[in-house]
Structure formats: C-alpha cells, structure tokens
C-alpha cells in the first residue's frame, strides 16, 4: 500500500518519483535564494561590508566549510581580523573598524568576546610651552602644575591631544642657534623659543596654558580645530598670542621671517616681529576663554590683587576659578539637566546608584573664589545657583535631546534577569527553563530604545541605534555609558574636562541616602541602621543590593554550570548582551587610550610638569557603597 502523503493535513495524490525530485529541487533552490538574499537585507542600513560584497556574486555557491557564526551559517569560514595593538583590557577586547555599526560584532570579529568599535578618532595635537627649567619656589611650581593639569584635561575632554613643550624641543630645532645669537629681551626670547618648539613639532595648535576651551563639543570653532587641517596660519582677534593654528610649512616660514627681521629687537612680541599678512585673523572665538593678565585685571580684580600679593596662592585661585568656569560652561550646555536612565523603575535603584551619584556631583555648584562670575568668553552665562541646581531625571527611555546629558547603566542580561520584577528571588536559582519560559527577550534594550525606535522592532536595529548613542562623536559628548557590574572609571574628570566636585551637600531631599566620606557605611553603623524601622523602600534597596552583588560575583565565577547558564542567557538576549559588551569595550578603550597617552607623555619634561601627582583622588571610594 502506498504511503499516504499529506500537505497541511490534507491528503494529496501520490506523485511519480520523477516529479517529486523536480519539486524537491525547486524548493531547495528557492530556499537557498531566499536565505542568501534576505539575510543581508535583514541587517539595517549602515556601513556594512556585506552590502557591497554579497550582491556581486551572481550565483550563490554553497561554501564547503561553514562558519561557526550563528547569525549567518552560510558564510564561508574566515580568519578573524588581526588583533590590534592595545586592544584588550581585562575581559574586554575590541576591534576598531569603520564598519562598526553592524548590529552584531561577532559577525565581523568572529569572536563573541570581541566587540567592534568605531575607529579611534585622531586627536589633533595642541601644544603649550612651559619652561620647567626656571628656578622657582616649590609652591609656585605646584601652582603652575595645577594650571597645566587643568589645561590638559580641558583640551583632552574636547577631543585634542594636549602636549606640553619645554625648552628641550626648542633646542632641538636647528634654528635655535640663530636665536642664541640674537640679543633680545627675555620675554621676546621666550616667545621665540615657544615658536621654535612648535616648529620642531610641526602642524598643530599652539596655545597658552591659560587659554581653555569653553563651549559645547559641537561649537564650530572647536570642530574646525579638531579637524586638524589648517589652510592658513591663523590667530584670533583680541587673543594676542593665546592661540595659533597652522601647518609646519607656514610655521617655519613665520619663524624664519621673524629671525631675519632686522628690527626684531624693537618688536614687542612674535606677532609684531612678522608682517601682518603672515596671519589670517579670525574674529570668531566664542568658545575660547583666555585668562591673560589684562583680562584677569579687568574682570577678576580680586584674583589679580592676590597674584600681585602672593603669586602661587593667586595662581591657585585663578586655577580654581577656571575650573569652576569650565564646570559652569558644561552646566549651561546641558541646561535640561542630566538623565540617569532607569529602565525598570522599581528594580534598578541600586544598579544605577553610582550613575545617580555622579549626576549629583555634576549638578553641584563648583566651589569658586568668585561664585557668580562668568567666563571671559561668555559674560552672559548662567552661574550655578545652589538653590536652583540642574534637574536630575530618571527616565526609562533614552532621549536624544541636545541639551540633556545622559548617564546610562548597562546591565548584563543576567543582572537584568535577577533584578527583573518577574524573577521571584525566593525561587532558589535562576534556571535555563525559567529564562526561556518566563523572561522576555532583550528587555533592557527594548525599554531604553522604546522612544527612539518605537515598539515592534527587532533587536538588531535597536543595537545599531544604541551604538550610535554610545560611540558616535555626538554620542560621546552627550552621554556616558557604564556597565552595572563594574566600577565607575577612575578618570571621570578627564571625560568632562574639569574637576568634578566630590562632596554632596546635604540637601535633605535626595531619594537615596548618600553617605559622605565621614559617614561611610561601616558594616554596623551606617545611618540606615540607626533608624528604628526599615522602610519598605530601603528594604527593597537592600534586596536589590544583594542581588546585584550576586550578579557581580556570578560574572567573576567561572564554574561550568555558571558558564552554561551564562551562555543560555546571552543566547536568549543577543541584543542586550551585545549592548553590554559594546559599552564595556568602549569605556575600556577610552581608558586605555588615555593611559597610553599618559605613558607616552611621562617620558618628556613636559609630562612631568603637567602630571597629576596624586592631586586627583581616586573615585573608588565614592561609588563602592551600593
Ligand atoms: C600598549 O601596548 C604596548 C606594547 O604593544 C605595551 O608596552 C603597553 O604597556 C600597552 N599599554 C597599555 C595601556 O596597555
Ligand atoms: C569568551 O569568554 C568566555 C569567558 O571569558 C570564554 O568562556 C569563551 O570561551 C570566550 N569565547 C571565545 C570565542 O573566545
Ligand atoms: C541624535 O541626534 C543627533 C543630532 O540631532 C544625530 O546626529 C544622532 O545620530 C542622534 N543619535 C541617535 C542615537 O539617534
Ligand atoms: C565641599 O563643598 C563646599 C560647599 O559646597 C565647599 O566649600 C568645599 O570646598 C567642598 N569640599 C571639597 C573637598 O571639595
Ligand atoms: C568601623 O568598624 C570597625 C570594626 O568593624 C571599627 O574598628 C572602626 O572604628 C569603625 N569605624 C568607624 C568610623 O566607626
């Protein structure tokens, strides 16, 4: 008796074997075509290599060896891209490439642990000249050192590579001999040495260390300077010798012109020593604040007097003033306040505590010798008023608003699952069946991008949006993304470009008790246990803390059982995992980039001059109490 075949439950008449073969091969060809042409299309637009290569192949051939990638099993097995220099740190590793916007890194890096990051943006060099060889009192040197640190930090945060030049660079210049032969006033001689040092380095920006960038990241002038291409030797109207930008050829020509000037002795400064046509004078410099002697005398006379009385202490005051102005500028840029993302309103309090605390620090008024003063480049600023601080909000979604700063905390899917309202912590263990039956896929990313992408979108385009928010130039200037299981980066001051005030005044209204250093929770004597009753809110916070601790420990444990569970959770939440890895790698790379630069700079005399020297205390103790 022939076998009864059925299609969708309905029997259909037996077919001769030849027609079966034709039908089957038609289906097979159709299936292959569908796979090949829909897979690349499911990846959203963006610079993806696949878009350009896959479509050139006229007839798809099935590769003999298949790649292990889950996403595209029909891809030919390939070598993973080469490991780049300094591209690992702890567990995080990354590969920087221009096609970083692909939703899933592993489809390019062929390694689930390696995230695909945007190429590091070249930081154009900005030079300042500081003569560390001059004999001065120690406290004078310390004050100048503090000023130099402020200068380096402010320019670093704006995307430059600040470099301190010293007489060593000037002497390295072949033209130095010519300078030595001239008999000049000490001021003019220093000025020329400064130019020789710059000429020795080449194309870039020469900046006085009392000139600081005070504007938003998108300011057109800062954006122009960041591009690193200076068609003409440029100086700025009213800024004197504060800032020059130019290419090596132009700098050399200017220096030669000055040195061969017969009337060099009579010239007051470098600008006077060359013909006026040497420079293009830019009248727009709204984002540059120059604290030269004249400005300080005019606008901040209290400090000018102090400098006259006692140089070092006056300089320290000036330094404090510039830091407070940098902070005020930042607060004015983000006038809508700070959004600390909190996607699961009732369950994320502990996880976002460090982010929230950072937000509180940032909304503080900086301590300043002239509290209501404005930077010299922006007389109409809004000075920080303690009674009207910036708003801190805790929205559940990411909003792309230009004057809102976002601090995001990205949890690993395991952490999300532990903290999720669905998870009943009385259930002894998180198990694979629980994940599959009860938990939603990618809950964190779906919530965060709900407004950006709407609902009903799959994980891949959400990840792309997320990556844009984290790592694009615009994104880095408007947000900071940390992972929930790790500590805050310890060089936060360098992200923002000023010393972040580290003490929170007791406003008595903050939701969560924020202990100061002296009230550090001692296991038995935290402020919480002093209260007779533990409120419901605090009990849930304590529970969250315990769960978070478990999540952190889980991340460090590597038992085979844990690994299995971890793999299952990561596979279930592909997009959340990708987001977490991406944020982790991006933050680590910024840290490594800065460390490397510090290492490089330390070799030079200038590096010693602008080093932090324990001035900045670590952040660890401020955030480790969640
Ligand atoms: C970067 O790599 C070099 C060698 O390739 C190594 O000496 C240096 O310590 C690394 N720097 C960091 C910050 O990891
Ligand atoms: C990724 O990292 C985990 C844990 O560090 C490890 O178990 C796994 O083998 C790694 N995967 C690859 C492809 O290296
Ligand atoms: C946010 O807005 C800026 C400019 O308005 C845009 O360039 C950027 O791509 C947006 N980012 C996201 C994640 O939508
Ligand atoms: C703490 O804040 C107060 C006022 O806000 C300020 O006067 C003091 O200098 C700050 N202390 C530190 C160590 O920053
Ligand atoms: C914290 O507790 C330890 C013992 O647990 C004690 O030695 C220490 O003095 C306490 N510190 C404060 C500030 O109370």
């Amino acid at each position: 008796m022939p076998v009864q075949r059925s299609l969708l439950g309905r029997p259909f008449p037996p077919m001769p074997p030849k027609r079966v073969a034709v039908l089957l091969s038609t289906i097979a060809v159709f299936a292959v075509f569908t796979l090949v042409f829909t897979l690349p299309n499911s990846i959203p637009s963006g610079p993806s290599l696949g878009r350009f290569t896959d479509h050139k192949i006229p007839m798809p051939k099935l590769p003999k060896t298949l790649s292990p990638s889950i996403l595209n099993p029909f891809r030919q097995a390939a070598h993973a891209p080469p490991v780049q220099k300094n591209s690992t740190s702890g567990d995080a590793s990354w590969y920087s490439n221009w096609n970083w916007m692909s939703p899933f890194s592993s489809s390019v890096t062929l390694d689930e642990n390696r995230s695909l990051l945007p190429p590091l943006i070249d930081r154009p060099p900005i030079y300042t000249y500081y003569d560390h060889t001059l004999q001065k009192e120690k406290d004078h040197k310390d004050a100048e050192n503090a000023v130099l640190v402020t200068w380096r930090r402010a320019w670093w945060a704006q995307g430059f590579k600040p470099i301190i030049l010293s007489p060593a660079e000037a002497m390295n210049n072949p033209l130095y001999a010519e300078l030595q032969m001239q008999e000049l006033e000490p001021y003019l001689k220093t000025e020329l040495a400064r130019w020789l040092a710059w000429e020795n380095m080449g194309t870039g920006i020469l900046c006085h260390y009392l000139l600081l960038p005070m504007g938003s990241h998108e300011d057109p002038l800062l954006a122009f300077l960041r591009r690193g291409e200076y068609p003409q030797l440029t100086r700025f109207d009213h800024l004197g010798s504060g800032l020059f930008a130019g290419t090596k050829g132009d700098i050399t020509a200017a220096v030669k012109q000055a040195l061969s000037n017969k009337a060099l002795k009579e010239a007051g400064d470098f600008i006077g020593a060359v013909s006026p046509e040497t420079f293009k004078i830019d009248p727009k410099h709204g984002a540059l604040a120059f604290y030269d002697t004249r400005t300080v005398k005019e606008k901040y006379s209290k400090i000018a007097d102090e400098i006259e009385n006692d140089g070092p202490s006056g300089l320290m005051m000036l330094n404090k003033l510039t830091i407070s102005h940098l902070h005020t500028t930042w607060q004015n840029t983000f006038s809508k306040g700070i959004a600390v993302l909190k996607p699961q309103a009732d369950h994320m309090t502990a996880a976002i505590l460090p982010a929230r605390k950072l937000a509180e620090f940032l909304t503080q008024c900086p301590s300043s010798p002239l509290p209501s003063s404005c930077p010299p480049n922006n007389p109409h600023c809004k000075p920080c008023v303690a009674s009207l601080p910036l708003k801190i909000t805790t929205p559940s979604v990411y909003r792309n608003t230009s004057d809102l700063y976002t601090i995001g905390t990205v949890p690993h899917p395991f952490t999300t699952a532990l903290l999720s309202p669905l998870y009943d912590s009385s259930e002894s263990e998180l198990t694979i069946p629980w994940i599959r039956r009860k938990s939603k896929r990618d809950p964190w990313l779906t919530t965060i991008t709900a407004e950006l992408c709407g609902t009903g979108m799959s994980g891949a385009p959400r990840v792309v949006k997320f990556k844009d928010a984290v790592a694009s130039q615009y994104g880095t200037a408007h947000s900071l993304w940390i992972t929930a299981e790790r500590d805050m980066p310890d060089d936060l001051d360098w992200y923002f470009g000023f010393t972040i005030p580290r003490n929170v005044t007791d406003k008595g209204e903050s939701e969560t008790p924020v202990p100061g250093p002296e009230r550090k929770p001692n296991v038995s004597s935290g402020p919480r246990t002093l209260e007779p009753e533990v409120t419901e809110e605090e009990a849930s916070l304590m529970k969250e803390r315990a769960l978070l601790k478990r999540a952190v420990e889980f991340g460090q444990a590597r038992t085979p059982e844990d690994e299995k569970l971890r793999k299952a959770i990561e596979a279930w939440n592909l997009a959340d995992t990708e987001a977490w890895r991406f944020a982790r790698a991006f933050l680590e790379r910024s840290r490594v980039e800065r460390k490397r630069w510090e290492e490089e700079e330390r070799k030079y005399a200038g590096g010693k001059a602008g080093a932090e020297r324990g001035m900045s205390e670590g952040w660890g103790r401020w955030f480790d109490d969640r």
Side-chain angles (χ1 to χ4, degrees):
M1 188 188 142
V3 183
Q4 181 72 42
R5 295 179 180 85
S6 74
L7 180 67
L8 300 173
R10 272 190 225 153
F12 66 87
M15 263 191 261
K18 206 173 156 199
R19 278 175 63 193
V20 173
V22 169
L23 180 67
L24 283 182
S25 52
T26 314
I27 291 173
V29 167
F30 176 74
V32 167
F33 265 88
T34 314
L35 256 178
V36 166
F37 285 108
T38 54
L39 263 182
N41 288 350
S42 66
I43 295 169
S45 64
S48 153
L49 199 58
R51 301 210 115 213
F52 303 106
T53 51
D54 289 356
H55 293 275
K56 283 199 194 119
I57 308 167
M59 270 301 279
K61 273 185 227 136
L62 272 188
K64 285 198 188 78
T65 41
L66 297 182
S67 96
S69 165
I70 327 164
L71 293 162
N72 190 350
F74 287 93
R75 206 159 94 163
Q76 189 105 35
H79 289 289
V83 173
Q84 291 162 332
K85 228 177 135 188
N86 291 86
S87 69
T88 48
S89 169
D91 284 345
S93 72
W94 55 86
Y95 174 66
S96 310
N97 201 2
W98 57 271
N99 61 353
W100 62 284
M101 281 280 211
S102 354
F104 294 100
S105 302
S106 58
S107 66
V108 174
T109 62
L110 306 186
D111 175 353
E112 55 173 352
N113 293 334
R114 211 158 142 212
S115 295
L116 192 59
L117 295 184
L120 256 189
I121 296 155
D122 262 343
R123 290 170 174 268
I126 178 162
Y127 304 104
T128 197
Y129 183 79
Y130 174 71
D131 192 346
H132 62 286
T133 58
L134 293 180
Q135 289 299 321
K136 280 178 196 161
E137 298 289 320
K138 185 176 174 302
D139 54 350
H140 198 149
K141 282 213 163 180
D142 285 349
E144 282 176 342
N145 194 54
V147 170
L148 286 171
V149 172
T150 304
W151 178 83
R152 288 172 85 208
R153 213 168 36 198
W155 285 100
W156 178 265
Q158 287 285 4
F160 295 84
K161 190 198 263 177
I163 294 173
I164 298 172
L165 302 180
S166 67
E169 277 86 13
M171 284 176 210
N172 207 20
N173 195 319
L175 293 169
Y176 190 71
E178 259 183 68
L179 174 65
Q180 286 300 81
M181 282 188 285
Q182 309 249 12
E183 263 183 42
L184 301 171
E185 297 285 316
Y187 176 75
L188 187 57
K189 200 156 191 173
T190 313
E191 226 358 45
L192 278 163
R194 188 173 169 234
W195 273 77
L196 286 178
W198 185 27
E199 199 270 343
N200 186 50
M201 302 303 289
T203 303
I205 307 166
L206 180 65
C207 178
H208 193 282
Y209 54 75
L210 286 174
L211 193 147
L212 299 165
M214 291 195 195
S216 81
H217 194 82
E218 285 82 44
D219 181 89
L221 176 61
L222 294 179
F224 161 75
L225 292 174
R226 247 194 317 266
R227 235 168 282 143
E229 283 165 20
Y230 316 111
Q232 266 173 294
L233 194 58
T234 306
R235 71 182 181 88
F236 294 86
D237 204 10
H238 299 303
L239 289 189
S241 303
L243 192 88
F244 302 100
T247 55
K248 169 118 180 160
D250 290 341
I251 305 167
T252 314
V255 170
K256 284 195 171 149
Q257 195 195 107
L259 284 177
S260 61
N261 186 349
K262 293 268 169 357
L264 180 58
K265 235 186 242 178
E266 281 86 63
D269 55 10
F270 190 91
I271 296 171
V274 292
S275 67
E277 305 83 72
T278 312
F279 296 106
K280 176 189 160 215
I281 300 178
D282 196 334
K284 285 197 216 87
H285 48 79
L288 303 176
F290 193 17
Y291 294 83
D292 58 341
T293 319
R294 191 177 46 111
T295 312
V296 172
K297 259 200 190 116
E298 262 171 34
K299 302 201 159 164
Y300 318 108
S301 55
K302 181 180 157 196
I303 289 169
D305 294 346
E306 182 69 24
I307 291 178
E308 212 140 276
N309 287 342
D310 177 357
S313 124
L315 208 52
M316 276 307 219
M317 251 168 106
L318 180 61
N319 188 42
K320 218 167 178 185
L321 182 79
T322 56
I323 292 175
S324 77
H325 286 172
L326 283 162
H327 193 160
T328 303
T329 306
W330 186 89
Q331 289 184 339
N332 284 193
T333 306
F334 297 103
S335 54
K336 285 238 174 70
I338 302 175
V340 179
L341 297 186
K342 190 176 182 185
Q344 292 169 0
D346 303 335
H347 302 263
M348 279 291 205
T349 309
I352 66 154
L353 214 53
R356 190 176 164 102
K357 200 180 274 184
L358 175 62
E360 275 167 22
F361 288 156
L362 285 167
T363 53
Q364 288 274 298
C365 288
S367 73
S368 160
L370 300 168
S372 56
S373 65
C374 276
N377 61 326
N378 181 13
H380 306 296
C381 79
K382 264 175 65 199
C384 181
V385 183
S387 56
L388 276 175
L390 278 188
K391 262 218 299 257
I392 302 177
T393 50
T394 50
S396 65
V397 295
Y398 168 73
R399 293 203 174 93
N400 192 6
T401 314
S402 65
D403 39 12
L404 181 71
Y405 194 85
T406 303
I407 305 177
T409 310
V410 193
H412 187 271
F414 180 80
T415 312
T416 318
L418 269 188
L419 295 175
S420 88
L422 283 171
Y423 176 65
D424 182 11
S425 57
S426 62
E427 209 175 305
S428 59
E429 270 314 314
L430 201 72
T431 56
I432 295 178
W434 182 87
I435 295 163
R436 289 228 284 265
R437 286 194 208 116
K438 296 239 180 97
S439 73
K440 276 198 224 141
R441 274 177 193 262
D442 301 322
W444 185 81
L445 195 63
T446 311
T447 316
I448 286 289
T449 56
E451 218 174 85
L452 214 57
C453 305
T455 49
M457 206 184 243
S458 74
R462 288 183 196 275
V463 173
V464 173
K465 278 278 181 198
F466 171 79
K467 289 183 173 181
D468 187 34
V470 173
S472 63
Q473 280 233 33
Y474 181 90
T476 11
H478 288 80
S479 59
L480 175 72
W481 300 82
I482 53 174
T483 52
E485 299 79 12
R486 296 202 157 198
D487 299 332
M488 276 274 184
D490 53 8
D491 52 358
L492 282 173
D493 292 345
W494 293 79
Y495 285 78
F496 293 93
F498 49 83
T499 316
I500 301 167
R502 278 155 220 232
N503 60 3
V504 176
T505 42
D506 253 327
K507 286 190 292 279
E509 57 175 20
S510 66
E511 279 172 32
T512 49
V514 185
E518 67 288 346
R519 292 194 290 130
K520 201 87 199 116
N522 210 353
V523 186
S524 58
S525 70
R528 221 159 292 118
T529 48
L530 291 179
E531 282 164 36
E533 264 177 73
V534 177
T535 64
E536 204 173 304
E537 204 177 299
E538 282 168 16
S540 95
L541 187 64
M542 261 147 76
K543 194 171 121 193
E544 274 181 38
R545 281 197 174 133
L547 287 174
L548 194 63
K549 190 155 164 272
R550 220 184 108 198
V552 173
E553 282 163 3
F554 176 83
Q556 287 152 357
R558 286 274 179 259
T559 64
E561 278 303 293
D562 284 356
E563 280 301 325
K564 227 168 113 191
L565 187 58
R566 195 184 171 89
K567 284 243 151 67
I569 293 184
E570 290 182 353
W572 187 250
N573 298 290
L574 278 180
D576 269 11
T577 309
E578 176 76 16
W580 180 78
R581 289 212 179 103
F582 184 86
R584 180 181 71 167
F586 189 72
L587 200 63
E588 277 302 308
R589 191 181 67 172
S590 318
R591 202 178 62 78
V592 168
E593 183 196 10
R594 206 182 71 73
K595 282 267 148 62
R596 245 174 77 187
W597 164 69
E598 291 273 8
E599 256 168 45
E600 255 169 53
E601 285 301 292
R602 203 162 294 144
K603 289 185 235 148
Y604 307 103
K608 283 190 204 87
E612 280 186 293
R613 283 204 211 129
M615 283 176 11
S616 122
E617 38 173 343
W619 278 100
R621 66 195 191 89
W622 294 104
F623 295 116
D624 59 3
D625 65 328
R626 37 179 180 176

